[in-house]
Amino acid sequence: MHREKQKISRGLFVTVEGTDGCGKSTQLRMAVKHLKLLGYPVRVFKDPGGTRVGEEIRRILLAKKSRRDPIDSVAEALLYLASRRVLVSRLIEPALARGKLVLCDRFTDSTLAYQGFGRGLFLPELRTLCSFASGGLKPDLTFLLDIDPAVGLTRVKGTDRIEALGLAFQEKVRRGYLELARREPKRIKVISADGSPGEVFSRILPYLARLKASHYVK
Ligand SMILES: Nc1ncnc2c1ncn2[C@@H]1O[C@H](COP(=O)(O)OP(=O)(O)O)[C@@H](O)[C@H]1O
Ligand SMILES: [Mg+2]
């Protein structure tokens, strides 16, 4: 007997953002554990990274600054976008098409906050490039973990090329993120990243519960 294939509805795309050491990776791990226990079809990615090409680009981007071979802000932005492009087309879009709940550690908002507000690249131009790179993909929901960068930087041990830019840069990035959230309050939820990991997660939890209600109810 022929049975019609059940139509799979498109998955949801959730990203975690914030300055270095705010707790993105920690909160993402907690969210993944929680959502998997509830039976969600979760896929987790990291931007930049996730693919071989992406990991190589990530290595270039985070390597300590080479004085003999510096990369300027535009090249830096384009490398991030190239990595994101591969991640989106190879992994994120296919997962969303199969109805997965996709969580990603950083995405386009990072480029806007770091290369736009932090480095001072022209924001409208950067937005166009970001949209080109992601094929217009935007997160359905974004958690912005907000913390005083001075606290964030004391949490991170090693310093990579971006973290080594110091406090003043991180403060510009933080202000940039908050401006992005102000412009898109429905998508970007500002979560105070102060306190213990458990305390921070308790602020995220209500939004995860709402996800379920709105999309993945069985
Ligand atoms: N709420 C918290 N309070 C104190 N330390 C934290 C908290 N969240 C994470 N950490 C620690 O701070 C460091 C950076 O956290 P991480 O999740 O890697 O941040 P990010 O991914 O945003 O850079 C890690 O060593 C982590 O264990
Ligand atoms: Mg991290």
Side-chain angles (χ1 to χ4, degrees):
M1 194 171 65
H2 178 76
R3 269 180 44 200
E4 210 178 317
K5 257 195 192 162
Q6 209 187 338
K7 192 165 176 288
I8 300 171
S9 63
R10 186 176 162 82
L12 284 177
F13 184 34
V14 179
T15 59
V16 184
E17 295 281 357
T19 48
D20 301 295
C22 67
K24 294 178 295 299
S25 305
T26 304
Q27 294 302 318
L28 198 65
R29 267 195 303 277
M30 294 173 84
V32 167
K33 194 173 163 198
H34 177 83
L35 292 166
K36 279 189 173 166
L37 278 172
L38 291 177
Y40 284 82
V42 181
R43 292 290 177 277
V44 196
F45 302 112
K46 179 174 70 183
D47 176 11
T51 63
R52 263 233 323 251
V53 171
E55 288 299 337
E56 284 193 36
I57 294 175
R58 183 187 178 88
R59 193 180 49 72
I60 296 170
L61 281 166
L62 299 185
K64 283 266 165 61
K65 193 171 185 170
S66 155
R67 237 179 284 139
R68 275 190 302 158
D69 197 13
I71 39 175
D72 66 26
S73 304
V74 174
E76 179 182 275
L78 293 173
L79 284 168
Y80 277 113
L81 295 182
S83 171
R84 182 168 311 136
R85 174 65 196 169
V86 181
L87 178 64
V88 167
S89 60
R90 289 255 316 279
L91 299 172
I92 296 180
E93 276 295 354
L96 289 172
R98 279 182 279 116
K100 307 299 179 193
L101 173 53
V102 175
L103 304 182
C104 197
D105 192 331
R106 296 194 179 281
F107 200 66
T108 292
D109 297 306
S110 283
T111 309
L112 299 174
Y114 282 76
Q115 279 71 47
F117 289 92
R119 301 287 201 189
L121 294 188
F122 186 51
L123 214 59
E125 215 164 40
L126 199 55
R127 279 187 188 279
T128 305
L129 286 170
C130 282
S131 167
F132 180 60
S134 69
L137 176 66
K138 278 192 100 173
D140 298 290
L141 176 65
T142 297
F143 295 109
L144 169 55
L145 301 179
D146 181 58
I147 197 161
D148 178 348
V151 178
L153 286 183
T154 61
R155 287 180 183 174
V156 288
K157 290 166 196 90
T159 47
D160 63 31
R161 195 178 65 85
I162 301 295
E163 286 159 2
L165 290 166
L167 206 54
F169 181 79
Q170 297 285 338
E171 276 162 0
K172 272 199 269 185
V173 174
R174 182 195 194 187
R175 284 196 294 276
Y177 268 132
L178 291 171
E179 173 62 22
L180 295 174
R182 205 184 54 76
R183 288 187 205 179
E184 284 186 81
K186 272 190 83 170
R187 172 175 70 87
I188 304 179
K189 305 301 175 194
V190 183
I191 305 288
S192 163
D194 259 328
S196 70
E199 282 169 328
V200 179
F201 189 61
S202 73
R203 298 175 191 134
I204 288 179
L205 212 47
Y207 293 105
L208 297 183
R210 243 172 274 164
L211 265 188
K212 180 179 171 188
S214 66
H215 198 81
Y216 285 96
V217 278
K218 299 207 175 89

